[in-house]
Amino acid sequence: GMHPGLYITEINQDLAIADSELVVGDTIIAVEGKSVTNVSQVSEILRDMKPGDVVEVTVVRVDAIGRDKEISFDVELSEYSGS
């Protein structure tokens, strides 16, 4: 199903959280527990953080038999945050 969130169509290396467990097809629904629906909201949350900081990312991922699963993982920010 479609969840409100940021749907990942490609892993864009400019995204500070790209170097992580994210996979194409994930929908990012929260960063640091704050709901997000677009890239600018993600950037807003990450703005005050530094490369090397760890943030919690929550995604909805469809499993092999088509069920939505919510997954959270920690991501260490890459050098790109703030761009």
Side-chain angles (χ1 to χ4, degrees), residues 21-80:
E21 298 172 50
L22 273 181
V23 297
V24 170
D26 281 355
T27 301
I28 300 176
I29 56 172
V31 177
E32 286 292 280
K34 301 184 180 79
S35 297
V36 295
T37 54
N38 58 46
V39 173
S40 58
Q41 288 175 325
V42 174
S43 302
E44 183 79 13
I45 295 167
L46 300 181
R47 195 179 54 191
D48 298 327
M49 299 185 175
K50 305 178 299 300
D53 284 354
V54 173
V55 298
E56 185 188 42
V57 176
T58 305
V59 304
V60 171
R61 182 174 297 170
V62 179
D63 70 13
I65 56 173
R67 291 180 306 192
D68 288 343
K69 300 178 82 157
E70 208 170 286
I71 305 170
S72 292
F73 46 86
D74 289 335
V75 178
E76 186 176 317
L77 296 182
S78 68
E79 295 293 335
Y80 292 108

Side-chain angles (χ1 to χ4, degrees), residues 10-20 78-81 83:
E10 58 177 1
I11 301 297
N12 181 342
Q13 291 306 320
D14 291 340
L15 200 59
I17 55 177
D19 187 18
S20 67
S78 68
E79 295 293 335
Y80 292 108
S81 64
S83 63

